[in-house]
């Protein structure tokens, strides 16, 4: 019994070191990811052509393109955190509810008295607090991520409703509202898009160029081997859900800037959009593989589809059916790719 355990310890470090994609096997993986990203770019380009063909004046207008990027930025920040969680083999179904709770808590009259800093600080702290609860329940409480985050979804939505009493909370802090006006745009780029770009850059660097990212890949690929390699799996999972919560807090502040209010209905179905974008981008639901660039492309595709449907006055039900079909197709492609490469 001792010999196999020692053998596992010898093999585990090599697994952890190979997780960030360096070496021979990574070349084929990197090629597949490049092909996937190019395919996603092709799909995005096709959607732009469709939008320009069906509603050329409205879709290709600068104001509409700015709106698409702004809307993509909010769900995109949430998706960055979701990508980390799914890469580790987890799931977070509470992100939409956390965005709602953070947005209404940050827009109460008491919070707004502290101005810009008070709203931003409250939104991020509430997101971190929710992520901490999720992380503790999952990492140290032994709860299944699905159950723990579903419980957080229900609790956060309920608390958000209680705080607002079902009413919209209007933001009166000018320094927050000013970020949403055109005068605040930098070279025609909305500030929220710049925030999204910064989050994506930091997320990509952390996932692909740090020990934290290597540990994330490792516990998603093989938690037991990661543990034998000396990684504190429980602590890493706690950090990942804290990261997801922080992203939700940032997204909540961005949503407050965009809408100028806080509502208990904010973030509705964000969890589905974030998971779908990550899956389409190439992040495996089973964990061990994730890509920030692919997730961003997935977000842009979904946001563009939503915009095209809205401009053409198509029903929301049709839009949801289309999204569902895209998700199913993406999962099937993932499964076939894994079978073909011998990974499953």
């Amino acid at each position: 019994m001792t010999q196999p355990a020692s053998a596992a310890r010898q093999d585990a470090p090599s697994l952890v070191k190979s997780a960030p994609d360096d070496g021979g096997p990574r070349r084929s993986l990197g090629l597949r990811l490049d092909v996937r990203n190019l395919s996603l770019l092709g799909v995005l380009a096709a959607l732009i052509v469709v939008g320009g063909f069906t509603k050329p004046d409205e879709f290709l207008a600068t104001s509409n393109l700015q709106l698409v990027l702004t809307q993509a930025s909010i769900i995109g920040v949430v998706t960055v955190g979701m990508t980390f969680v799914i890469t580790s083999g987890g799931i977070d179904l509470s992100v939409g509810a956390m965005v709602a709770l953070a947005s209404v808590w940050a827009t109460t009259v008491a919070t707004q008295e502290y101005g810009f800093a008070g709203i931003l600080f409250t939104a991020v702290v509430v997101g971190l607090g929710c992520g901490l609860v999720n992380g503790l329940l999952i990492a140290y409480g032994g709860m299944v991520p699905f159950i723990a985050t579903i419980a957080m979804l229900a609790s956060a939505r309920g608390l958000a409703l209680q705080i607002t009493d079902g009413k919209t909370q209007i933001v009166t802090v000018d320094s927050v509202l000013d970020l949403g006006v055109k005068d605040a745009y930098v070279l025609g780029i909305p500030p929220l898009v710049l925030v999204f770009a910064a989050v994506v850059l930091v997320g990509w660097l952390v996932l692909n160029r740090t020990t934290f990212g290597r540990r994330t890949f490792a516990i998603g690929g093989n938690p037991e081997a990661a543990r034998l390699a000396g990684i504190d799996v429980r602590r890493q999972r706690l950090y990942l859900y804290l990261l997801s919560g922080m992203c939700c807090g940032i997204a909540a502040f961005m949503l407050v800037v965009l809408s100028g209010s806080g509502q208990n209905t904010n973030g509705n179905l964000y969890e589905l959009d974030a998971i779908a974008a990550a899956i389409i981008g190439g992040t495996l639901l089973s964990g061990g593989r994730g890509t920030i660039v692919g997730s961003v492309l997935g977000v842009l595709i979904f946001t563009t589809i939503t915009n095209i449907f809205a401009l053409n006055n198509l029903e929301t039900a049709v839009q949801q059916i289309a999204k569902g079909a895209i998700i199913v197709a993406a999962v099937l492609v993932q499964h076939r790719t894994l079978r073909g490469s011998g990974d499953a």
Side-chain angles (χ1 to χ4, degrees):
M1 295 296 292
T2 305
Q3 189 172 359
S6 62
R9 291 187 178 92
Q10 292 174 359
D11 292 340
S14 63
L15 178 147
V16 177
K17 291 179 181 177
S18 65
D21 304 336
D22 286 322
R26 180 191 182 274
R27 295 180 181 176
S28 59
L29 171 60
L31 181 60
R32 289 200 301 272
L33 292 178
D34 289 341
V35 171
R36 177 184 290 274
N37 289 340
L38 288 174
S39 300
L40 292 173
L41 283 173
V43 172
L44 183 59
L47 288 173
I48 293 175
V49 171
V50 171
F53 179 78
T54 57
K55 292 288 182 177
D57 296 333
E58 295 90 339
F59 181 79
L60 297 177
T62 301
S63 58
N64 183 64
L65 296 178
Q66 290 172 334
L67 176 62
V68 170
L69 289 176
T70 301
Q71 292 175 336
S73 297
I74 298 173
I75 185 62
V77 170
V78 176
T79 303
V80 169
M82 182 70 78
T83 300
F84 276 87
V85 172
I86 296 178
T87 301
S88 71
I91 197 73
D92 191 347
L93 300 177
S94 63
V95 291
M98 288 194 288
V99 169
L101 179 59
S103 69
V104 299
W105 208 322
T107 54
T108 60
V109 175
T111 302
Q112 293 193 51
E113 291 180 356
Y114 293 93
F116 182 97
I119 294 176
L120 175 59
F121 176 80
T122 302
V124 174
V125 168
V126 171
L128 283 170
C130 293
L132 176 63
V133 173
N134 280 338
L136 290 174
L137 290 175
I138 294 167
Y140 294 94
M143 290 188 67
V144 177
F146 180 87
I147 300 299
T149 56
I150 279 288
M152 176 57 70
L153 183 156
S155 301
R157 283 288 179 194
L159 184 55
L161 178 60
Q162 186 175 35
I163 290 175
T164 61
D165 194 24
K167 302 176 182 177
T168 300
Q169 298 178 162
I170 305 299
V171 177
T172 58
V173 180
D174 292 335
S175 57
V176 173
L177 298 175
D178 289 344
L179 290 177
V181 300
K182 289 189 176 181
D183 291 341
Y185 289 11
V186 180
L187 299 176
I189 303 175
L192 299 187
V193 177
L194 297 177
V195 172
F196 175 43
V199 172
V200 168
L201 177 60
V202 172
W204 185 89
L205 290 173
V206 171
L207 186 62
N208 296 283
R209 294 292 184 266
T210 67
T211 302
F212 184 89
R214 288 194 293 272
R215 290 173 178 171
T216 301
F217 283 113
I219 67 174
N222 191 328
E224 181 61 18
R227 185 186 67 81
L228 293 173
I231 296 176
D232 190 331
V233 176
R234 293 190 300 178
R235 184 172 61 185
Q236 182 70 13
R237 282 178 174 155
L238 173 62
Y239 289 161
L240 288 166
Y241 282 96
L242 278 171
L243 176 61
S244 178
M246 182 178 68
C247 287
C248 289
I250 296 173
F253 177 78
M254 296 168 68
L255 190 56
V256 167
V257 171
L258 181 63
S259 64
S261 63
Q263 305 177 54
N264 65 286
T265 56
N266 282 342
N268 187 36
L269 296 181
Y270 272 21
E271 55 278 354
L272 298 183
D273 288 342
I275 293 171
I279 294 172
I280 290 174
T283 300
L284 292 184
L285 271 175
S286 56
R289 186 181 303 170
T291 162
I292 297 295
V293 174
S295 295
V296 171
L297 292 174
V299 169
L300 291 175
I301 288 173
F302 270 126
T303 307
T304 303
I305 290 175
T306 301
N307 184 258
I308 292 174
F309 273 60
L311 290 177
N312 286 277
N313 297 319
L314 296 177
E315 295 181 0
T316 303
V318 178
Q319 175 183 322
Q320 297 300 330
I321 293 172
K323 285 185 177 182
I326 293 173
I327 295 171
V328 171
V331 173
L332 289 176
V333 169
Q334 271 193 4
H335 184 63
R336 290 180 64 87
T337 301
L338 286 176
R339 289 181 60 185
S341 63
D343 293 340

